[in-house]
Amino acid sequence: MKNLLLGLVALCLVPFAFAKDFKEGENYDVIKMAAPTAQPEVTEYFSFLCPHCYRFEPIVHELAAQLPKDVKFTRNHVDFLGRDLGVELSRSYAVMELLGVEDKVAPKMFSAIHEQHVRLTGRDDIRKVFVAAGVPGEDFDSAVNSFSVNGRLAQMERNTQSADITGVPTVVVNGKYKVNMGSVSSKEELFELVDYLTQKKD
């Protein structure tokens, strides 16, 4: 965890440091049991409860913005942090996706937890964050237990298990390559590594 934190700090502070030769086992790991995606894809695994994910937010948005148009970017909330609250937050992320309000609500959720230090105890408190972000409460209520949200929640849990995600934030490329966040010393190097992995064929 300490190495991860140092790596994230370095990403924020070091402007230029480009790797010339990315290596398996050093810069990335191959996920043995996962099926590779049919098309290039970058997925960030994260949790609203994770302070490192909160600090990584500006970088992950830059990463998504600079990806080529043929590379899909997705996010996957994990539920292994926070016990029952972690599951409810994963559900809340599925609701954000379904309602198309991720850009409005996700920053509010991170802010409530890590800046305002709001103590979220369950679904009612999460609903209040949606409402504060401008989402009608009835929209949240109609979506939170919907078939689509339940399906997405199960999918995120399966993705987390198949990718063997044990810590966040973690970036996975093409469903096959797990980035070693501690191995990169700048956001530019991270972007370069991700680009390298999206084009990797073996």
Side-chain angles (χ1 to χ4, degrees), residues 132-147:
V135 178
E138 55 268 27
D139 289 357
F140 176 87
D141 296 337
S142 65
V144 71
N145 279 319
S146 67
F147 177 82

Side-chain angles (χ1 to χ4, degrees), residues 24 38 45 62 88 91 112 129 142 152 175 184:
E24 180 182 342
Y45 289 82
E62 278 193 63
E88 285 296 330
R91 181 178 293 278
V129 177
S142 65
R152 176 61 172 142
V184 293

Side-chain angles (χ1 to χ4, degrees), residues 59-134:
I59 296 170
V60 80
H61 286 294
E62 278 193 63
L63 171 63
Q66 61 85 49
L67 290 173
K69 291 183 179 179
D70 64 336
V71 178
K72 182 181 179 181
F73 177 77
T74 63
R75 303 184 81 183
N76 196 108
H77 196 280
V78 303
D79 62 13
F80 54 71
L81 297 179
R83 300 188 179 184
D84 291 345
L85 180 60
V87 176
E88 285 296 330
L89 286 168
S90 285
R91 181 178 293 278
S92 81
Y93 184 69
V95 172
M96 293 177 208
E97 290 183 319
L98 179 64
L99 298 180
V101 295
E102 180 187 354
D103 289 346
K104 290 198 305 184
V105 182
K108 293 285 189 182
M109 195 69 72
F110 271 120
S111 177
I113 295 169
H114 300 286
E115 296 173 10
Q116 302 169 44
H117 305 291
V118 174
R119 185 173 179 269
L120 302 179
T121 60
R123 188 173 298 179
D124 288 345
D125 292 331
I126 290 170
R127 184 183 188 274
K128 290 175 184 177
V129 177
F130 275 75
V131 171

Side-chain angles (χ1 to χ4, degrees), residues 4-22:
L4 173 60
L5 178 58
L6 292 173
L8 291 174
V9 171
L11 286 176
C12 296
L13 299 179
V14 180
F16 296 101
F18 294 100
K20 301 296 182 182
D21 184 23
F22 296 119

